[in-house]
Structure formats: structure tokens, C-alpha cells
Amino acid sequence: MGFLFFEVSRLYRARTDRAFEQGGLGITSGEARTLIYINQHPGLRQTALAEKMSVEPMTLVASLDRLEAQSLVKREPDPTDRRAKRVLLTPAAAPLIARITSIALAAREEILNGLSEDQIANFRTALDRMRVNLVAGRDADDA
């Protein structure tokens, strides 16, 4: 099952990457993912955003630097800790977020073709449970 999971995950990501490339977004799939997370969690500190995305902080900083250079995000000091930076979208990001969402939905429909709504819901539940187990295991390893 593990190898199948890795293979499907790799193929899913490759299909989504191809969809973003064909959509002419002008950003990488990692940058698109970053924009979606910021949209879902506006104003998070960079460190909290990196943790939520399960990426290294330096990886996120590089992505944010590129997005900031395109005027899609801005970083501002956290009012409770000026050393920390909060990440926000700029108004210029809104049309791109809409395109990312549309392209991702179309790719997901293609990928999930032939699965019933119940199968998709059960799969999502299983993935959520796996994530909880993995995060709990990671946290136990860090203790």
C-alpha cells in the first residue's frame, strides 16, 4: 500500500503541476499552494504558515520572496512581536487565486473520475486520519 500511495501522490502532483503550467499562471505549483494557504489563513506569521504547510521555513521564505517580487503578497510586522512577520495577500492576488482554484478543481475532477461521492468522502477521512497520526508521531519524535 505504501508504494501505491507514493506513486499516486507523485502522479497527482505531476498532473496538477502540468495543469498549472498549461494554465499559464506564471508561478510554480509550490507558489500556488502558498497563495492558497495564505488565502485560507490570512495574517499568519511566516513560521506558523510554514508549519501549517509542512515545509521548512527557509523554503517558504524563498517562495514568499518570489511572490512578493510579483506584488502578490506582503509581509508586515506582527503587532504583538515586531520581530515576527505576518503574511497577507495583496489585491493583485485575487484574480490569480481564482484561476488557481479553477485549474486545481478541473485537474481534481479528472483525477477523481469514476469515484463516487462516498468513496471520495471516505478517502478524505482516511487521509485526514493518516495526517493526524503522522503529525502525532512527528511531535512524539521531537519530544
Side-chain angles (χ1 to χ4, degrees), residues 112-123:
L112 298 176
N113 184 34
L115 296 174
S116 72
E117 292 299 318
D118 284 344
Q119 288 173 312
I120 294 168
N122 289 336
F123 185 57

Side-chain angles (χ1 to χ4, degrees), residues 1-7:
M1 185 167 123
F3 289 118
L4 178 60
F5 184 79
F6 285 124
E7 181 69 7

Side-chain angles (χ1 to χ4, degrees), residues 22-141:
Q22 291 169 343
L25 296 177
I27 60 172
T28 66
S29 61
E31 292 164 352
R33 182 173 176 247
T34 300
L35 288 172
I36 294 298
Y37 268 86
I38 297 168
N39 189 53
Q40 292 172 344
H41 309 283
L44 275 183
R45 289 181 178 184
Q46 284 182 187
T47 53
L49 182 61
E51 186 175 317
K52 191 161 281 296
M53 293 178 65
S54 298
V55 298
E56 292 296 321
M58 290 308 299
T59 300
L60 178 62
V61 166
S63 184
L64 291 174
D65 287 345
R66 290 187 300 274
L67 293 169
E68 195 169 38
Q70 295 179 56
S71 299
L72 297 171
V73 302
K74 62 181 177 178
R75 291 177 271 197
E76 55 187 41
D78 187 316
T80 62
D81 181 355
R82 290 185 46 200
R83 295 170 298 170
K85 299 288 185 189
R86 294 173 358 124
V87 184
L88 300 161
L89 296 175
T90 66
L96 188 55
I97 295 284
R99 288 183 57 212
I100 290 167
T101 302
S102 176
I103 290 169
L105 285 173
R108 185 169 53 218
E109 285 178 13
E110 176 187 322
I111 292 163
L112 298 176
N113 184 34
L115 296 174
S116 72
E117 292 299 318
D118 284 344
Q119 288 173 312
I120 294 168
N122 289 336
F123 185 57
R124 177 179 287 280
T125 299
L127 288 173
D128 285 339
R129 175 79 269 176
M130 286 185 229
R131 180 174 44 202
V132 166
N133 293 344
L134 290 166
V135 168
R138 179 185 67 199
D139 292 346
D141 290 344

